[in-house]
């Protein structure tokens, strides 16, 4: 009996073939005509589309027969547990999916299915985004663009990142990569991590490490603050009026975690007053960011449409991870990145 894998989001043909080559026992099902077309590289949601009745009947049969599913089926998010009753493992293409799985009840409705995420895949692009934001504000890039447009030559002085203090809230794989790059810039790095027991500060590339309950004590030193924490009851609105006031005047905020981590009115007030020098935001409480939001027009805000993690080689990295996990699955060994 073959092990049936159903790929539910767009994947380049060479990566589909890479999966097939893992083992001869696999039956890899990839039907591009039955899934959404990508709008950009590594787009796992795709354009809006509709299947014909015949196509939908075929698709539901494929879901029912699949033992392994590659990615969430965007067309059946509500009834996936009922349609994919034979699924033993679902590999997602995102990292922060625990809340999504819980909110849709997949953990209870699919008790025999193991979910694995793509943690670590997006570490480099997200870390690069953080340093893009920090460098833009430190080197006066937005000012430069205005001066260039006005054809005005006026010399000025920027700032160095060396010896500045960066606080990273969330030291998972992404946070560790941000910290690693920060040390290359000779920054002072403070990490906030849920558990600090037996932590190796040198391996984490941090000078100091604390638990979230002392965040307010650390914020007065946070010349740069990077948020990478997940959205939980404990992290919701963790950055509010009190927290922004504690940060040094002229500090810069980067949020690549979840929009719910921030009290947006408090953030707006801090940015408008100039207490915060700037913010680079890849995530928002409401996505897409509504038209008319003050954040769109603020001169000291960089708005990114939740795309900081998406790059041209994302599907290659996800395929490599999936194939590694697939070999473990076939060997009956524990999988990587179990949610």
């Amino acid at each position: 009996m073959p092990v049936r894998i159903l790929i539910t989001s767009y994947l380049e043909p060479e990566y589909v073939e890479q999966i097939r080559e893992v083992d001869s026992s696999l039956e890899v099902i990839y039907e591009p005509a039955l899934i959404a077309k990508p709008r950009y590289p590594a787009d796992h949601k795709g354009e809006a589309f509709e299947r014909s009745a015949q196509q939908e009947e075929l698709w539901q049969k494929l879901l029912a027969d699949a033992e392994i599913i590659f990615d969430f089926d965007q067309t059946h998010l509500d009834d996936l547990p009922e349609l994919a009753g034979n699924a033993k493992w679902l590999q997602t293409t995102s990292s922060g999916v625990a809340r999504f799985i819980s909110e849709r009840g997949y953990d209870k409705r699919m008790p025999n299915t193991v979910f694995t995420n793509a943690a670590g895949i997006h570490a480099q692009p997200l870390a690069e985004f953080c340093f893009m934001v920090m460098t833009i504000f430190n080197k006066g890039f937005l000012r430069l663009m205005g001066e260039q447009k006005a054809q005005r030559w006026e010399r000025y002085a920027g700032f160095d990142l060396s010896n500045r203090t960066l606080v990273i809230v969330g030291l998972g794989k992404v946070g560790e990569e941000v910290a690693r790059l920060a040390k290359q810039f000779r920054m002072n790095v403070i990490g906030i991590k849920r558990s600090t027991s037996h932590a190796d500060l040198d391996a984490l590339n941090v000078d100091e490490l604390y638990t979230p309950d002392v965040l307010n004590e650390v914020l007065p030193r946070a010349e740069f603050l990077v948020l990478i924490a997940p959205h939980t009851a404990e992290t919701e609105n963790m950055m509010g009026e009190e927290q922004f006031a504690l940060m040094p005047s002229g500090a810069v905020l980067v949020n690549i975690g979840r929009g719910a981590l921030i009290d947006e009115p408090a953030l707006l007030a801090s940015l408008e007053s100039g207490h915060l020098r700037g913010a680079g935001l890849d995530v928002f409480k409401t996505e897409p960011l509504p038209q008319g939001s003050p954040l769109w027009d603020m001169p000291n805000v960089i708005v990114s449409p939740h795309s900081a993690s998406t790059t041209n080689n994302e599907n290659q990295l996800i395929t490599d991870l999936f194939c590694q996990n697939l070999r473990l699955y076939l060997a009956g060994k524990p999988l990587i990145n179990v949610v």
Side-chain angles (χ1 to χ4, degrees):
M1 203 47 193
V3 175
R4 289 193 177 92
I5 301 174
L6 178 62
I7 299 173
T8 68
S9 63
Y10 177 80
L11 203 58
E12 290 80 354
E14 60 268 30
Y15 302 142
V16 177
E17 193 57 34
Q18 182 180 338
I19 295 170
R20 285 197 176 106
E21 291 175 354
V22 168
D23 195 275
S24 59
S25 67
L26 300 175
E27 180 183 349
V28 181
I29 301 165
Y30 179 61
E31 297 287 347
L34 301 182
I35 61 177
K37 294 180 180 179
R39 297 160 294 178
Y40 50 84
D43 177 15
H44 300 119
K45 291 189 177 179
E47 298 175 353
F49 81 112
E50 289 186 11
R51 301 185 186 96
S52 67
Q54 186 177 7
Q55 286 177 323
E56 181 60 27
E57 183 180 358
L58 172 58
W59 182 252
Q60 291 195 24
K61 185 179 186 309
L62 293 176
L63 281 172
D65 292 342
E67 179 176 336
I68 299 171
I69 298 177
F70 179 95
D71 210 2
F72 290 119
D73 175 14
Q74 295 294 322
T75 63
H76 286 287
L77 293 177
D78 292 332
D79 56 357
L80 181 64
E82 289 70 39
L83 296 177
N86 290 317
K88 295 181 180 178
W89 167 34
L90 192 153
Q91 170 72 54
T92 75
T93 55
S94 300
S95 300
V97 295
R99 191 177 183 89
F100 175 87
I101 290 171
S102 176
E103 286 179 342
R104 293 193 176 266
Y106 286 1
D107 50 337
K108 296 181 177 63
R109 295 164 64 197
M110 302 177 75
N112 300 319
T113 305
V114 175
F115 294 89
T116 56
N117 64 26
I121 293 299
H122 309 104
Q124 181 173 340
L126 285 171
E128 289 180 2
F129 176 84
C130 294
F131 280 89
M132 177 193 77
V133 171
M134 289 189 275
T135 304
I136 279 174
F137 286 110
N138 253 30
K139 297 305 178 186
F141 180 79
L142 300 178
R143 174 188 182 278
L144 280 178
M145 291 297 95
E147 298 290 271
Q148 181 174 332
K149 186 176 182 179
Q151 299 186 28
R152 183 166 48 239
W153 180 282
E154 186 175 327
R155 297 194 68 200
Y156 75 104
F159 298 90
D160 291 337
L161 288 176
S162 61
N163 299 315
R164 309 295 291 275
T165 298
L166 166 65
V167 174
I168 304 170
V169 180
L171 269 184
K173 294 179 181 178
V174 177
E176 289 180 21
E177 180 65 9
V178 174
R180 187 187 71 80
L181 291 181
K183 298 314 293 183
Q184 302 305 308
F185 283 92
R186 304 183 183 89
M187 299 183 78
N188 304 314
V189 184
I190 299 174
I192 302 292
K193 189 175 173 66
R194 190 164 46 187
S195 174
T196 60
S197 60
H198 308 297
D200 184 338
L201 271 62
D202 290 334
L204 293 172
N205 286 295
V206 298
D207 300 291
E208 302 171 44
L209 186 64
Y210 302 99
T211 50
D213 57 296
V214 296
L215 176 62
N216 283 9
E217 298 173 29
V218 172
L219 285 175
R221 300 161 60 192
E223 296 170 281
F224 296 90
L225 176 66
V226 172
L227 303 178
I228 323 177
H231 177 198
T232 66
E234 291 74 26
T235 62
E236 188 164 339
N237 287 329
M238 66 186 300
M239 291 300 300
E241 182 179 356
E242 177 187 1
Q243 286 70 34
F244 288 123
L246 287 171
M247 294 176 68
S249 178
V252 172
L253 166 75
V254 184
N255 189 8
I256 56 173
R258 287 292 182 264
L261 305 182
I262 292 176
D263 178 342
E264 283 189 2
L267 171 62
L268 287 166
S270 190
L271 288 165
E272 287 170 347
S273 71
H275 181 71
L276 275 187
R277 180 156 49 110
L281 309 172
D282 186 53
V283 289
F284 304 86
K285 280 196 172 179
T286 301
E287 296 185 6
L289 181 64
Q291 292 186 1
S293 168
L295 292 169
W296 284 112
D297 297 319
M298 297 189 78
N300 54 347
V301 174
I302 297 169
V303 172
S304 170
H306 206 144
S307 299
S309 65
T310 307
T311 63
N312 62 306
N313 67 341
E314 181 179 339
N315 277 351
Q316 172 69 79
L317 296 173
I318 290 173
T319 301
D320 290 344
L321 172 63
F322 181 63
C323 289
Q324 184 180 2
N325 249 345
L326 190 51
R327 293 184 181 93
L328 293 172
Y329 178 87
L330 294 173
K333 296 180 179 179
L335 302 182
I336 300 168
N337 288 355
V338 173
V339 180

